[in-house]
Amino acid sequence: MKDLTDKAIIVAGANGLIGKEIVAELREHGSMVIAADLSFATEILDPKYSTYRLDLSDNSSIDGLVEFALSRHGRIDGFINAAYPRTKDWGKYHFEDTPFSHWKDNVDLQLNSVFYIDQQIAKVMKEQQFGSIVNFGSIYGIVGNDFTIYEDYGGTSPAEYCAIKGGIINFTRYLASYFGKYNVRVNCVCPGGIWDHQHEEFVKNYNHRCPMKRMGNPDDIAPLCLFLVSDGAKYITGQIIAADGGWTAI
């Protein structure tokens, strides 16, 4: 990985499970981080680290983030979207029982917000003639769901999740093709399951199926994101990269 010193990098979802690790590693590598998350109540301003309260359901909040980053650093070298917005009833419904309003609300929160924030940041990068965008997909945007890992405890995976992540994956390819001539790169990281105190039967079944026999951790994902916004990846664009312990290999 090439030097990330003094690169201005926005991280959306910066206070989330993976986002926190990304921010910590960027700071360790000397980046000027703009950490954006709905949970931030106040702004922190210093030359190397800033926070911004980002509401992905509000386009004016996204516009404000872009303006904030430019006012702080005059450019945007990289954008990593590790945000995972979802409704409070996320994961509650099996497919047959999923209300259409629930589907629509989550597609709007997760997929439509990716369109708008990528659009606004890509316009800046087009103008400056450089930049790297990292979107987040999932293994379930690449392959179908293995529902056997939920059966022992009656759980499920939300139907809208695979549609959203599959959409983000091909949207990433579209952006890479569209903006390549402006030296703007767009790639997509697809994590496998990340351990977060899930049901013990889920963890057992997941580990049994996964070739590496464990769930992922945030520090399995963050280094890949850092590489993709670094100059070490300067000829890599339009790629869908799974960090999944081999899940999608079998």
Side-chain angles (χ1 to χ4, degrees), residues 28-116:
E28 183 180 331
H29 284 81
S31 299
M32 299 182 295
V33 180
I34 304 97
D37 198 282
L38 185 61
S39 68
F40 294 144
T42 59
E43 292 179 358
I44 297 173
L45 304 175
D46 68 42
K48 287 287 190 179
Y49 178 70
S50 307
T51 63
Y52 178 90
R53 186 179 185 276
L54 174 64
D55 183 353
L56 285 168
S57 70
D58 180 358
N59 286 354
S60 65
S61 180
I62 293 171
D63 294 340
L65 171 63
V66 174
E67 293 167 6
F68 178 76
L70 292 175
S71 70
R72 296 289 293 153
H73 304 297
R75 67 185 193 279
I76 302 172
D77 294 299
F79 169 56
I80 301 170
N81 190 358
Y84 186 25
R86 54 208 186 274
T87 56
K88 292 181 179 178
D89 57 352
W90 180 258
K92 176 180 178 181
Y93 303 107
H94 290 255
F95 177 74
E96 298 89 341
D97 306 316
T98 302
F100 185 60
S101 60
H102 172 86
W103 172 281
K104 286 183 65 177
D105 288 346
N106 281 286
V107 169
D108 196 39
L109 274 172
Q110 295 187 43
L111 181 57
N112 295 345
S113 67
V114 169
F115 162 81
Y116 190 76

Coordinates of all heavy atoms in Angstrom, one line a residue, residues 28-116:
E28 N -3.9 6.2 11.6 CA -2.6 5.6 11.9 C -1.7 5.8 10.7 O -0.4 6.0 10.9 CB -2.8 4.1 12.2 CG -1.5 3.4 12.5 CD -1.7 1.9 12.8 OE1 -2.8 1.6 13.2 OE2 -0.8 1.1 12.5
H29 N -2.2 5.9 9.5 CA -1.5 6.1 8.3 C -1.3 7.5 7.8 O -0.9 7.8 6.7 CB -2.0 5.2 7.1 CG -1.7 3.8 7.2 ND1 -2.4 2.9 8.1 CD2 -0.8 3.0 6.6 CE1 -1.9 1.7 7.9 NE2 -0.9 1.7 7.1
G30 N -1.8 8.4 8.7 CA -1.5 9.9 8.5 C -2.5 10.6 7.6 O -2.3 11.7 7.2
S31 N -3.7 10.0 7.3 CA -4.7 10.6 6.5 C -5.4 11.8 7.3 O -5.5 11.8 8.5 CB -5.8 9.6 6.1 OG -5.2 8.6 5.3
M32 N -6.0 12.7 6.5 CA -6.8 13.7 7.0 C -8.3 13.1 6.9 O -8.8 13.1 5.8 CB -6.7 15.0 6.2 CG -5.3 15.6 6.3 SD -5.1 17.2 5.5 CE -5.4 16.7 3.8
V33 N -8.8 12.7 8.0 CA -10.1 11.9 8.0 C -11.3 12.9 8.2 O -11.2 13.7 9.2 CB -10.1 10.8 9.0 CG1 -11.4 10.0 9.0 CG2 -8.9 9.9 8.7
I34 N -12.3 12.8 7.4 CA -13.6 13.4 7.7 C -14.5 12.2 8.1 O -14.9 11.5 7.2 CB -14.1 14.2 6.5 CG1 -13.1 15.2 6.0 CG2 -15.5 14.8 6.9 CD1 -12.3 14.8 4.9
A35 N -14.8 12.1 9.3 CA -15.6 10.9 9.8 C -17.0 11.4 9.9 O -17.4 12.3 10.6 CB -15.1 10.5 11.2
A36 N -17.9 10.7 9.1 CA -19.3 11.1 9.0 C -20.2 10.0 9.5 O -20.1 8.9 9.1 CB -19.6 11.5 7.6
D37 N -21.1 10.4 10.4 CA -22.0 9.4 11.0 C -23.2 10.1 11.6 O -23.1 11.2 12.2 CB -21.3 8.5 12.1 CG -22.0 7.2 12.4 OD1 -23.0 7.3 13.1 OD2 -21.6 6.2 11.8
L38 N -24.3 9.4 11.6 CA -25.6 10.0 12.2 C -25.4 10.2 13.7 O -26.1 11.0 14.3 CB -26.8 9.1 11.9 CG -28.1 9.6 12.3 CD1 -28.5 10.9 11.7 CD2 -29.2 8.6 12.0
S39 N -24.6 9.4 14.3 CA -24.4 9.4 15.8 C -23.6 10.5 16.3 O -23.6 10.8 17.5 CB -23.8 8.1 16.2 OG -22.4 8.0 15.8
F40 N -22.9 11.2 15.4 CA -22.1 12.4 15.9 C -23.0 13.6 16.2 O -23.7 14.1 15.3 CB -21.0 12.7 14.9 CG -20.0 11.7 14.7 CD1 -19.4 11.5 13.4 CD2 -19.5 10.9 15.7 CE1 -18.5 10.5 13.2 CE2 -18.6 9.9 15.6 CZ -18.1 9.7 14.3
A41 N -22.9 14.1 17.4 CA -23.7 15.2 17.8 C -23.0 16.5 17.6 O -23.7 17.6 17.5 CB -24.2 15.1 19.3
T42 N -21.7 16.5 17.7 CA -21.0 17.7 17.5 C -19.8 17.5 16.5 O -19.4 16.4 16.3 CB -20.4 18.2 18.9 OG1 -19.5 17.1 19.4 CG2 -21.4 18.4 19.9
E43 N -19.4 18.7 16.0 CA -18.3 18.6 15.0 C -17.0 18.7 15.8 O -16.8 19.5 16.7 CB -18.4 19.8 14.0 CG -19.6 19.6 13.1 CD -19.7 20.7 12.1 OE1 -18.8 21.7 12.2 OE2 -20.6 20.7 11.2
I44 N -16.0 17.9 15.4 CA -14.6 18.0 15.9 C -13.8 18.5 14.7 O -13.9 18.0 13.6 CB -14.1 16.7 16.4 CG1 -14.9 16.2 17.6 CG2 -12.6 16.8 16.7 CD1 -14.6 14.8 18.0
L45 N -13.0 19.5 14.9 CA -12.2 20.1 13.9 C -10.7 20.2 14.3 O -10.4 20.8 15.3 CB -12.7 21.5 13.5 CG -14.2 21.7 13.2 CD1 -14.5 23.2 13.0 CD2 -14.5 21.0 11.9
D46 N -9.9 19.5 13.6 CA -8.5 19.7 13.7 C -7.8 19.3 12.4 O -8.5 18.8 11.5 CB -7.8 18.9 14.9 CG -7.9 17.4 14.7 OD1 -7.6 16.9 13.6 OD2 -8.1 16.7 15.7
P47 N -6.6 19.6 12.1 CA -6.0 19.4 10.8 C -6.1 18.0 10.3 O -6.1 17.7 9.1 CB -4.6 19.9 10.9 CG -4.6 20.8 12.1 CD -5.6 20.3 13.0
K48 N -6.1 17.0 11.2 CA -6.1 15.6 10.8 C -7.3 14.8 11.0 O -7.5 13.7 10.5 CB -4.9 14.9 11.6 CG -3.5 15.3 11.1 CD -3.2 14.7 9.7 CE -1.8 14.8 9.4 NZ -1.4 14.2 8.1
Y49 N -8.3 15.4 11.7 CA -9.5 14.6 12.0 C -10.7 15.5 12.2 O -10.6 16.5 13.0 CB -9.3 13.8 13.3 CG -10.5 13.0 13.7 CD1 -10.9 11.9 13.0 CD2 -11.2 13.3 14.9 CE1 -12.0 11.1 13.4 CE2 -12.3 12.5 15.3 CZ -12.7 11.5 14.5 OH -13.8 10.7 14.9
S50 N -11.8 15.3 11.5 CA -13.0 16.1 11.6 C -14.2 15.1 11.7 O -14.1 14.0 11.1 CB -13.2 17.0 10.4 OG -12.0 17.8 10.2
T51 N -15.2 15.5 12.4 CA -16.4 14.7 12.4 C -17.6 15.6 11.8 O -17.6 16.8 11.9 CB -16.8 14.3 13.8 OG1 -17.1 15.4 14.7 CG2 -15.7 13.4 14.4
Y52 N -18.5 14.9 11.3 CA -19.7 15.5 10.7 C -20.9 14.6 10.9 O -20.9 13.4 10.7 CB -19.5 15.7 9.1 CG -20.6 16.3 8.4 CD1 -20.7 17.7 8.2 CD2 -21.6 15.5 7.8 CE1 -21.8 18.3 7.6 CE2 -22.7 16.1 7.2 CZ -22.8 17.5 7.0 OH -23.8 18.0 6.3
R53 N -22.0 15.2 11.3 CA -23.2 14.5 11.6 C -23.9 14.3 10.2 O -24.5 15.3 9.7 CB -24.2 15.2 12.5 CG -25.4 14.4 12.9 CD -26.3 15.1 13.9 NE -27.4 14.2 14.4 CZ -28.5 14.0 13.7 NH1 -28.7 14.7 12.6 NH2 -29.5 13.2 14.2
L54 N -23.9 13.1 9.7 CA -24.4 12.8 8.4 C -25.7 12.0 8.5 O -25.8 10.9 9.1 CB -23.4 12.0 7.6 CG -23.9 11.4 6.2 CD1 -24.2 12.6 5.3 CD2 -22.8 10.5 5.6
D55 N -26.8 12.5 7.9 CA -28.1 11.8 7.8 C -28.3 11.4 6.3 O -28.6 12.3 5.5 CB -29.2 12.7 8.3 CG -30.6 12.0 8.2 OD1 -30.7 10.9 7.7 OD2 -31.5 12.7 8.7
L56 N -28.1 10.2 6.0 CA -28.1 9.7 4.6 C -29.5 9.7 4.1 O -29.7 9.6 2.8 CB -27.6 8.3 4.5 CG -26.0 8.2 4.6 CD1 -25.6 6.8 4.8 CD2 -25.4 8.8 3.4
S57 N -30.5 9.9 4.9 CA -31.9 10.0 4.4 C -32.2 11.5 4.0 O -33.3 11.7 3.5 CB -32.9 9.6 5.5 OG -33.0 10.5 6.6
D58 N -31.3 12.4 4.2 CA -31.5 13.8 3.9 C -30.4 14.3 2.9 O -29.3 14.4 3.2 CB -31.4 14.6 5.2 CG -31.6 16.1 5.0 OD1 -31.8 16.5 3.9 OD2 -31.6 16.8 6.0
N59 N -30.9 14.5 1.7 CA -29.9 14.9 0.6 C -29.2 16.2 1.0 O -28.0 16.4 0.6 CB -30.6 15.1 -0.7 CG -31.0 13.8 -1.4 OD1 -30.6 12.7 -0.8 ND2 -31.7 13.8 -2.5
S60 N -29.8 17.1 1.7 CA -29.1 18.4 2.1 C -28.0 18.1 3.1 O -27.0 18.8 3.1 CB -30.1 19.3 2.7 OG -30.7 18.8 4.0
S61 N -28.1 17.0 3.9 CA -27.0 16.6 4.8 C -25.9 16.1 4.0 O -24.7 16.3 4.3 CB -27.6 15.5 5.8 OG -26.5 15.1 6.7
I62 N -26.1 15.3 2.9 CA -25.1 14.9 2.1 C -24.4 16.0 1.4 O -23.1 16.1 1.3 CB -25.6 13.9 1.0 CG1 -26.1 12.6 1.8 CG2 -24.6 13.5 0.0 CD1 -26.9 11.6 0.9
D63 N -25.2 17.0 0.9 CA -24.6 18.2 0.3 C -23.7 18.9 1.2 O -22.6 19.4 0.9 CB -25.7 19.1 -0.2 CG -26.5 18.5 -1.3 OD1 -26.1 17.6 -2.0 OD2 -27.7 19.0 -1.5
G64 N -24.1 19.0 2.5 CA -23.4 19.6 3.5 C -22.1 18.9 3.8 O -21.0 19.6 4.1
L65 N -22.1 17.6 3.7 CA -20.8 16.9 4.0 C -19.8 17.2 2.9 O -18.6 17.4 3.2 CB -21.1 15.4 4.0 CG -19.9 14.4 4.0 CD1 -19.1 14.6 5.2 CD2 -20.3 13.0 3.8
V66 N -20.2 17.2 1.6 CA -19.3 17.6 0.5 C -18.7 19.0 0.7 O -17.5 19.2 0.6 CB -20.0 17.4 -0.8 CG1 -19.1 17.9 -2.0 CG2 -20.4 16.0 -1.0
E67 N -19.6 19.9 1.1 CA -19.1 21.3 1.3 C -18.2 21.4 2.5 O -17.2 22.1 2.4 CB -20.3 22.2 1.5 CG -21.2 22.3 0.3 CD -22.6 23.0 0.6 OE1 -22.8 23.4 1.8 OE2 -23.4 23.0 -0.3
F68 N -18.5 20.6 3.5 CA -17.7 20.6 4.7 C -16.3 20.1 4.4 O -15.3 20.7 4.8 CB -18.3 19.7 5.8 CG -17.6 19.5 7.0 CD1 -17.5 20.6 8.0 CD2 -16.9 18.4 7.3 CE1 -16.9 20.4 9.2 CE2 -16.2 18.2 8.5 CZ -16.2 19.2 9.5
A69 N -16.2 19.0 3.6 CA -14.9 18.4 3.3 C -14.1 19.4 2.4 O -12.9 19.5 2.6 CB -15.1 17.1 2.5
L70 N -14.7 20.0 1.5 CA -14.0 20.9 0.6 C -13.6 22.2 1.4 O -12.5 22.7 1.1 CB -14.9 21.3 -0.6 CG -15.2 20.2 -1.6 CD1 -16.2 20.7 -2.6 CD2 -13.9 19.7 -2.2
S71 N -14.4 22.6 2.3 CA -14.0 23.8 3.1 C -12.8 23.5 4.0 O -12.0 24.3 4.3 CB -15.2 24.3 4.0 OG -15.5 23.4 5.0
R72 N -12.7 22.2 4.5 CA -11.6 21.8 5.4 C -10.3 21.6 4.6 O -9.2 21.9 5.1 CB -12.0 20.5 6.1 CG -13.2 20.6 7.0 CD -12.8 21.4 8.3 NE -11.9 20.7 9.1 CZ -11.0 21.4 9.9 NH1 -11.0 22.7 10.0 NH2 -10.2 20.7 10.6
H73 N -10.4 20.9 3.4 CA -9.2 20.4 2.8 C -9.1 20.9 1.3 O -8.0 20.7 0.7 CB -9.1 18.9 2.8 CG -9.2 18.4 4.3 ND1 -8.2 18.7 5.2 CD2 -10.1 17.6 4.9 CE1 -8.6 18.1 6.4 NE2 -9.7 17.5 6.2
G74 N -10.1 21.4 0.7 CA -10.0 21.9 -0.7 C -10.1 20.8 -1.7 O -10.1 21.1 -2.9
R75 N -10.3 19.6 -1.3 CA -10.3 18.5 -2.2 C -10.9 17.2 -1.5 O -11.0 17.2 -0.3 CB -8.9 18.1 -2.8 CG -8.0 17.6 -1.8 CD -6.6 17.4 -2.3 NE -5.7 16.6 -1.4 CZ -5.1 17.1 -0.3 NH1 -5.2 18.3 0.0 NH2 -4.4 16.2 0.4
I76 N -11.2 16.2 -2.2 CA -11.6 14.9 -1.7 C -10.8 13.9 -2.4 O -11.0 13.6 -3.6 CB -13.1 14.6 -1.8 CG1 -14.0 15.7 -1.2 CG2 -13.5 13.3 -1.3 CD1 -15.5 15.6 -1.4
D77 N -9.8 13.3 -1.7 CA -9.0 12.3 -2.3 C -9.7 10.9 -2.4 O -9.5 10.1 -3.3 CB -7.7 12.1 -1.6 CG -6.8 13.4 -1.7 OD1 -6.4 13.7 -2.8 OD2 -6.5 14.0 -0.6
G78 N -10.5 10.6 -1.3 CA -11.1 9.3 -1.3 C -12.4 9.4 -0.5 O -12.6 10.2 0.4
F79 N -13.3 8.5 -0.8 CA -14.6 8.3 -0.1 C -14.8 6.8 0.1 O -14.8 6.0 -0.8 CB -15.7 8.9 -0.9 CG -17.1 8.6 -0.3 CD1 -17.4 8.9 1.0 CD2 -18.0 8.0 -1.1 CE1 -18.6 8.6 1.5 CE2 -19.3 7.7 -0.6 CZ -19.6 8.0 0.7
I80 N -15.0 6.4 1.4 CA -15.3 5.1 1.8 C -16.7 5.1 2.4 O -16.9 5.7 3.5 CB -14.3 4.5 2.7 CG1 -12.9 4.5 2.1 CG2 -14.7 3.1 3.1 CD1 -11.8 4.2 3.1
N81 N -17.6 4.4 1.8 CA -19.0 4.4 2.3 C -19.3 3.1 3.1 O -19.7 2.1 2.5 CB -20.0 4.5 1.2 CG -21.4 4.8 1.7 OD1 -21.7 4.8 2.9 ND2 -22.4 5.0 0.8
A82 N -19.0 3.1 4.4 CA -19.2 1.9 5.3 C -20.5 2.1 6.0 O -20.7 1.3 7.0 CB -18.0 1.8 6.2
A83 N -21.4 3.0 5.6 CA -22.6 3.2 6.4 C -23.6 2.0 6.1 O -23.6 1.5 5.0 CB -23.3 4.5 5.9
Y84 N -24.4 1.8 7.1 CA -25.4 0.7 7.0 C -26.7 1.1 7.6 O -27.2 0.6 8.6 CB -24.8 -0.5 7.7 CG -25.6 -1.8 7.6 CD1 -26.4 -2.1 6.6 CD2 -25.5 -2.8 8.6 CE1 -27.2 -3.3 6.5 CE2 -26.2 -4.0 8.6 CZ -27.0 -4.2 7.5 OH -27.7 -5.4 7.5
P85 N -27.3 2.1 6.9 CA -28.6 2.6 7.5 C -29.7 1.6 7.2 O -29.8 1.0 6.2 CB -28.8 3.9 6.6 CG -28.1 3.6 5.4 CD -26.9 2.8 5.7
R86 N -30.6 1.5 8.2 CA -31.8 0.6 8.0 C -32.8 0.9 9.0 O -32.6 1.6 10.0 CB -31.3 -0.9 8.2 CG -30.5 -1.1 9.5 CD -29.6 -2.3 9.4 NE -28.9 -2.7 10.6 CZ -27.8 -2.1 11.1 NH1 -27.2 -1.1 10.4 NH2 -27.2 -2.5 12.2
T87 N -34.0 0.4 8.8 CA -35.1 0.7 9.7 C -35.0 -0.1 11.0 O -34.3 -1.1 11.0 CB -36.5 0.4 9.0 OG1 -36.5 -1.0 8.5 CG2 -36.7 1.3 7.7
K88 N -35.8 0.3 12.0 CA -35.7 -0.3 13.3 C -36.2 -1.8 13.3 O -35.8 -2.6 14.1 CB -36.5 0.5 14.3 CG -35.8 1.8 14.6 CD -36.6 2.6 15.7 CE -35.9 3.9 16.0 NZ -36.7 4.7 17.0
D89 N -37.0 -2.1 12.3 CA -37.6 -3.5 12.2 C -36.7 -4.3 11.3 O -37.2 -5.4 10.8 CB -39.0 -3.5 11.8 CG -39.3 -2.8 10.5 OD1 -38.4 -2.1 9.9 OD2 -40.4 -2.8 10.0
W90 N -35.5 -3.9 11.0 CA -34.6 -4.7 10.1 C -34.4 -6.1 10.6 O -34.1 -6.3 11.8 CB -33.3 -3.9 10.0 CG -32.3 -4.6 9.1 CD1 -31.2 -5.3 9.5 CD2 -32.2 -4.5 7.7 NE1 -30.5 -5.8 8.4 CE2 -31.1 -5.3 7.2 CE3 -33.0 -3.9 6.7 CZ2 -30.7 -5.4 5.9 CZ3 -32.7 -4.1 5.3 CH2 -31.5 -4.8 5.0
G91 N -34.5 -7.1 9.7 CA -34.3 -8.5 10.1 C -35.5 -9.1 10.7 O -35.4 -10.3 11.1
K92 N -36.6 -8.4 10.9 CA -37.7 -9.0 11.6 C -38.6 -9.9 10.7 O -39.2 -10.9 11.2 CB -38.6 -7.8 12.1 CG -39.9 -8.3 12.8 CD -40.7 -7.1 13.2 CE -42.0 -7.5 13.9 NZ -42.8 -6.3 14.3
Y93 N -38.6 -9.7 9.4 CA -39.6 -10.4 8.6 C -38.9 -11.5 7.7 O -37.9 -11.3 7.1 CB -40.2 -9.3 7.6 CG -40.9 -8.2 8.3 CD1 -40.3 -6.9 8.3 CD2 -42.1 -8.4 9.0 CE1 -40.9 -5.9 9.0 CE2 -42.7 -7.3 9.7 CZ -42.1 -6.1 9.6 OH -42.7 -5.0 10.3
H94 N -39.7 -12.6 7.6 CA -39.4 -13.5 6.5 C -40.0 -13.0 5.3 O -40.9 -12.1 5.3 CB -40.0 -14.9 6.9 CG -39.2 -15.6 8.0 ND1 -38.4 -16.6 7.8 CD2 -39.2 -15.4 9.3 CE1 -37.8 -17.0 8.9 NE2 -38.3 -16.3 9.9
F95 N -39.6 -13.6 4.1 CA -40.0 -13.0 2.8 C -41.5 -12.8 2.7 O -42.0 -11.8 2.3 CB -39.4 -13.8 1.7 CG -39.8 -13.3 0.3 CD1 -39.3 -12.1 -0.2 CD2 -40.8 -13.9 -0.4 CE1 -39.7 -11.6 -1.4 CE2 -41.2 -13.4 -1.7 CZ -40.6 -12.3 -2.1
E96 N -42.2 -13.9 3.0 CA -43.7 -13.9 2.8 C -44.4 -12.8 3.6 O -45.5 -12.3 3.2 CB -44.3 -15.2 3.2 CG -43.8 -16.4 2.4 CD -42.5 -17.0 3.0 OE1 -41.9 -16.4 3.8 OE2 -42.3 -18.2 2.6
D97 N -43.8 -12.4 4.7 CA -44.4 -11.4 5.6 C -43.8 -10.0 5.5 O -44.3 -9.1 6.2 CB -44.2 -11.9 7.1 CG -44.7 -13.3 7.3 OD1 -45.8 -13.6 6.8 OD2 -44.0 -14.1 7.9
T98 N -42.9 -9.8 4.6 CA -42.3 -8.5 4.5 C -43.2 -7.4 3.9 O -43.7 -7.6 2.8 CB -41.1 -8.5 3.5 OG1 -40.1 -9.5 4.0 CG2 -40.4 -7.2 3.4
P99 N -43.6 -6.4 4.7 CA -44.4 -5.3 4.1 C -43.7 -4.6 3.0 O -42.5 -4.4 3.1 CB -44.6 -4.4 5.4 CG -44.3 -5.2 6.6 CD -43.2 -6.2 6.1
F100 N -44.5 -4.2 2.0 CA -43.9 -3.5 0.9 C -43.3 -2.1 1.4 O -42.3 -1.7 0.9 CB -45.0 -3.2 -0.2 CG -44.4 -2.5 -1.4 CD1 -43.4 -3.2 -2.2 CD2 -44.9 -1.3 -1.8 CE1 -42.9 -2.5 -3.3 CE2 -44.4 -0.7 -2.9 CZ -43.4 -1.3 -3.7
S101 N -43.9 -1.5 2.4 CA -43.4 -0.3 2.9 C -42.0 -0.5 3.5 O -41.1 0.4 3.4 CB -44.3 0.3 3.9 OG -44.5 -0.6 5.0
H102 N -41.8 -1.6 4.2 CA -40.5 -1.9 4.7 C -39.4 -2.1 3.6 O -38.3 -1.5 3.8 CB -40.6 -3.2 5.5 CG -39.3 -3.8 6.0 ND1 -38.8 -3.4 7.2 CD2 -38.5 -4.7 5.5 CE1 -37.6 -4.1 7.4 NE2 -37.4 -4.9 6.4
W103 N -39.8 -2.8 2.6 CA -38.9 -2.9 1.4 C -38.5 -1.6 0.9 O -37.4 -1.2 0.7 CB -39.6 -3.8 0.4 CG -38.9 -3.9 -0.9 CD1 -38.9 -2.9 -1.9 CD2 -38.1 -4.9 -1.4 NE1 -38.1 -3.3 -3.0 CE2 -37.6 -4.6 -2.7 CE3 -37.7 -6.2 -0.9 CZ2 -36.8 -5.4 -3.5 CZ3 -36.9 -7.0 -1.6 CH2 -36.4 -6.6 -2.9
K104 N -39.5 -0.7 0.6 CA -39.3 0.6 0.0 C -38.4 1.5 0.9 O -37.5 2.2 0.4 CB -40.6 1.3 -0.3 CG -41.4 0.7 -1.5 CD -42.7 1.6 -1.7 CE -42.3 3.0 -2.1 NZ -43.6 3.7 -2.5
D105 N -38.7 1.5 2.2 CA -38.0 2.3 3.1 C -36.5 2.0 3.1 O -35.6 2.8 3.2 CB -38.6 2.3 4.5 CG -39.9 2.9 4.6 OD1 -40.3 3.7 3.7 OD2 -40.6 2.7 5.6
N106 N -36.2 0.7 3.1 CA -34.8 0.2 3.2 C -34.1 0.4 1.9 O -32.9 0.7 1.9 CB -34.7 -1.2 3.8 CG -34.9 -1.2 5.3 OD1 -34.0 -0.9 6.0 ND2 -36.1 -1.7 5.7
V107 N -34.8 0.2 0.8 CA -34.1 0.5 -0.5 C -33.8 2.0 -0.6 O -32.7 2.3 -1.1 CB -35.0 0.0 -1.7 CG1 -34.5 0.6 -3.0 CG2 -35.1 -1.5 -1.7
D108 N -34.7 2.8 -0.1 CA -34.4 4.2 -0.1 C -33.2 4.6 0.8 O -32.3 5.4 0.4 CB -35.6 5.0 0.3 CG -35.6 6.5 0.0 OD1 -35.1 6.8 -1.1 OD2 -36.0 7.3 0.8
L109 N -33.2 4.0 2.0 CA -32.1 4.3 2.9 C -30.8 3.9 2.4 O -29.8 4.6 2.5 CB -32.4 3.7 4.3 CG -33.3 4.4 5.3 CD1 -33.6 3.6 6.5 CD2 -32.6 5.7 5.8
Q110 N -30.7 2.6 1.9 CA -29.4 2.0 1.6 C -29.0 2.2 0.2 O -27.8 2.5 -0.1 CB -29.5 0.5 2.0 CG -29.7 0.2 3.4 CD -29.5 -1.2 3.8 OE1 -28.7 -1.9 3.3 NE2 -30.4 -1.7 4.6
L111 N -29.9 1.9 -0.8 CA -29.5 2.0 -2.2 C -29.6 3.4 -2.8 O -28.6 3.9 -3.4 CB -30.3 1.0 -3.0 CG -30.0 0.9 -4.5 CD1 -28.5 0.6 -4.8 CD2 -30.9 -0.1 -5.2
N112 N -30.7 4.0 -2.5 CA -30.9 5.4 -3.1 C -29.9 6.4 -2.5 O -29.5 7.3 -3.2 CB -32.3 5.8 -3.0 CG -33.3 5.0 -3.8 OD1 -32.8 4.2 -4.6 ND2 -34.5 5.0 -3.4
S113 N -29.6 6.2 -1.3 CA -28.6 7.1 -0.7 C -27.2 6.9 -1.3 O -26.4 7.9 -1.4 CB -28.5 7.0 0.9 OG -28.0 5.7 1.2
V114 N -26.9 5.7 -1.7 CA -25.6 5.4 -2.3 C -25.5 6.2 -3.7 O -24.5 6.8 -4.0 CB -25.3 3.9 -2.5 CG1 -24.2 3.7 -3.4 CG2 -25.1 3.3 -1.2
F115 N -26.6 6.1 -4.4 CA -26.7 6.9 -5.7 C -26.4 8.4 -5.4 O -25.5 8.9 -6.1 CB -28.1 6.8 -6.3 CG -28.3 7.8 -7.4 CD1 -27.8 7.7 -8.6 CD2 -29.0 9.0 -7.1 CE1 -28.0 8.7 -9.6 CE2 -29.2 10.0 -8.0 CZ -28.7 9.8 -9.3
Y116 N -27.0 9.0 -4.5 CA -26.9 10.4 -4.3 C -25.5 10.8 -3.8 O -24.9 11.8 -4.3 CB -28.0 11.0 -3.4 CG -28.1 12.5 -3.5 CD1 -28.6 13.2 -4.5 CD2 -27.5 13.3 -2.4 CE1 -28.6 14.5 -4.6 CE2 -27.5 14.6 -2.5 CZ -28.1 15.3 -3.6 OH -28.1 16.7 -3.7

